[in-house]
Amino acid sequence: MNEPSPQLPSRSVLWTMRILTLVALAIGVFLLTIDVAWSIKQQTAKVPFCSAFSWLDCETVISHPRWSNWFGIPVSMAGVVVYLGMLIGLGLVDKAKSDARRGRIGWWLAAGAVAAATAALWFVGIQLLAIGKICQYCMAEHAIGLTLAFLIFVHRVGRPRRVGGAVGLGLLATAILIGGQLLHTPTYVHKQLVIGKTEGDKGYVEDAAPGDAVKLDGGAIVLDTAGHPMIGSETAKHIIVEAIDYNCPHCLHAYELMRDTLPKLGPDYAILVLTFPLNADCNPSVEETEPRFVDSCFIVELAQALWLTDPGKYAAYHDWLFENQLKISRQDALDKAHELAGISFFEANRTDGRVRKMIARDEDIVARLKVHRLPGFFAGESRFTSLPDNPDEMAKLLREAFVAP
């Protein structure tokens, strides 16, 4: 058996690097597939094993309007390109017929290793410090990138000349990526598309007084503020429509954001709440119930029953449910509802059939609005595809959304 060239590591190390690169490439393709699926189907594709802990939230990381893309191009695409190039280089480096050719391949491997390692450090920091959520698939890819960089430089694969140029190229590529993310203005909203109607379909129109009507999708859907739970004044001039599940972590983020945003907007702004439990037991739009949503039907039922019993107490219950989302139990939710509305009247309303009809009505409206990832968020003629982190920025976006075109 031929001995490996002094320009190459042992075969076992070389194959270890190839396998690691292949795994990183597979993760990158997986993440890119999720990005593409979401762009086509408005984020209906679920990311498996991403809800075991509150801090483990791949969907928030992958869909973040600023940090998940570069001028509209998914950052996972850059990972795919880098690791594909490195895989090709690692596959050819031991087959090169001259030291010069082997050195050129090693030079490009060094550049790719620097780009992968520095980008990994950047995105690990973004997840830990800026987003506050972790995507374990992303973290695995970043760990591989750092490991590959270590192995390539320790073993000086290909023994490239002027390796400083390769390091500079890798750093430049990462700098361009980071600069683009910092300079690019994220897109949070787009104009609503009118829902296509079949023959005989008149859309969804509730019988509302002119001052109580909220029109969505170009008037295809009309909601009556008097017939839905509201956060804020029912006579507010500008009505934001939000579809939620009280167990949804993204809805908790939206709640915290709007809790700080509404005071900046003043009394002319209010939220109309549509409940959409992510539980197949009561929602035919849900195919499979994740563990975190096992109590969603029960809690939404309580929330609707409390609004039916005492609309004035709904906002307090709405706040309590979100503020205690991570530690709430069925009994806790029921006890709080009884405390706010009284046991006998509340239970009479909860069991008379109207609550189930209200939940079914909201599910129908949310389905018609084609909301595939909560929270669904509508303001004026705009549909929010994501939400900013800053209340001042959110207030600005909402004011712009209600400016007449």
Side-chain angles (χ1 to χ4, degrees):
M1 181 178 294
N2 295 330
E3 292 295 324
S5 165
Q7 291 181 304
L8 297 175
S10 67
R11 296 184 186 280
S12 61
V13 172
L14 187 60
W15 273 103
T16 297
M17 288 191 285
R18 288 169 176 167
I19 293 170
L20 286 173
T21 307
L22 182 61
V23 173
L25 177 62
I27 295 173
V29 170
F30 168 73
L31 295 174
L32 182 60
T33 301
I34 294 293
D35 277 313
V36 172
W38 281 357
S39 67
I40 296 173
K41 298 184 178 181
Q42 301 180 36
Q43 301 186 347
T44 58
K46 293 182 180 180
V47 184
F49 309 111
C50 276
S51 60
F53 306 98
S54 60
W55 47 266
L56 192 65
D57 190 348
C58 303
E59 294 177 0
T60 293
V61 175
I62 297 172
S63 65
H64 197 282
R66 179 178 292 280
W67 307 122
S68 69
N69 64 84
W70 185 83
F71 291 103
I73 301 172
V75 293
S76 53
M77 174 69 79
V80 168
V81 171
V82 169
Y83 287 116
L84 179 60
M86 292 179 68
L87 185 63
I88 292 172
L90 288 167
L92 295 176
V93 69
D94 62 337
K95 298 177 178 61
K97 296 182 179 180
S98 68
D99 290 346
R101 181 174 177 80
R102 192 173 293 121
R104 286 194 294 271
I105 294 175
W107 192 93
W108 284 106
L109 285 173
V114 171
T118 51
L121 294 174
W122 169 253
F123 286 115
V124 168
I126 288 298
Q127 290 179 66
L128 295 178
L129 302 177
I131 303 177
K133 303 289 184 181
I134 296 296
C135 167
Q136 74 268 39
Y137 301 106
C138 308
M139 286 297 195
E141 185 177 24
H142 302 328
I144 291 174
L146 291 167
T147 303
L148 281 171
F150 174 79
L151 291 174
I152 285 173
F153 278 95
V154 165
H155 292 281
R156 296 185 63 195
V157 178
R159 299 290 172 92
R161 296 180 179 179
R162 292 185 287 274
V163 73
V167 172
L169 178 61
L171 292 174
L172 176 62
T174 305
I176 292 173
L177 172 67
I178 295 172
Q181 290 192 302
L182 294 174
L183 294 174
H184 176 61
T185 301
T187 300
Y188 295 104
V189 302
H190 65 75
K191 294 299 180 183
Q192 295 180 37
L193 299 177
V194 177
I195 296 174
K197 300 178 183 178
T198 58
E199 186 176 353
D201 181 9
K202 297 181 180 180
Y204 180 89
V205 179
E206 294 179 349
D207 186 14
D212 296 334
V214 180
K215 296 182 180 181
L216 301 172
D217 283 323
I221 293 177
V222 179
L223 306 180
D224 179 12
T225 57
H228 294 269
M230 297 282 292
I231 306 299
S233 173
E234 293 184 6
T235 60
K237 181 180 179 182
H238 303 304
I239 306 298
I240 302 154
V241 176
E242 186 177 9
I244 63 167
D245 178 321
Y246 284 105
N247 288 319
C248 164
H250 304 289
C251 301
L252 174 59
H253 167 69
Y255 162 75
E256 293 170 340
L257 177 66
M258 291 308 299
R259 178 192 59 199
D260 298 332
T261 300
L262 282 179
K264 298 177 182 295
L265 293 169
D268 283 342
Y269 290 78
I271 300 174
L272 184 152
V273 177
L274 298 174
T275 54
F276 192 77
L278 296 174
N279 187 311
D281 292 342
C282 64
N283 190 343
S285 299
V286 177
E287 296 179 359
E288 183 179 354
T289 303
E290 296 181 31
R292 59 182 167 178
F293 301 121
V294 68
D295 292 331
S296 289
C297 295
F298 181 77
I299 291 176
V300 164
E301 178 184 293
L302 296 182
Q304 291 283 20
L306 188 134
W307 177 80
L308 198 61
T309 304
D310 189 344
K313 299 290 181 62
Y314 176 79
Y317 195 52
H318 175 87
D319 292 346
W320 184 87
L321 287 172
F322 273 126
E323 289 168 0
N324 294 275
Q325 183 189 89
L326 301 179
K327 58 184 179 181
I328 199 170
S329 69
R330 285 192 173 210
Q331 191 60 49
D332 291 337
L334 183 60
D335 290 344
K336 187 65 177 180
H338 288 166
E339 174 190 326
L340 290 171
I343 295 178
S344 59
F345 194 16
F346 174 82
E347 289 299 329
N349 283 323
R350 183 160 75 103
T351 57
D352 75 353
R354 285 181 293 172
V355 168
R356 285 290 179 178
K357 291 180 180 179
M358 291 163 61
I359 295 173
R361 172 205 63 187
D362 283 8
E363 291 169 354
D364 178 49
I365 295 169
V366 175
R368 287 173 178 269
L369 287 169
K370 299 181 181 179
V371 175
H372 299 297
R373 181 172 182 264
L374 296 183
F377 210 92
F378 302 83
E381 288 299 316
S382 296
R383 175 195 296 262
F384 280 66
T385 52
S386 57
L387 300 177
D389 297 319
N390 187 288
D392 290 321
E393 188 172 6
M394 187 66 188
K396 177 178 178 290
L397 291 170
L398 288 171
R399 291 189 187 101
E400 293 173 350
F402 285 106
V403 173

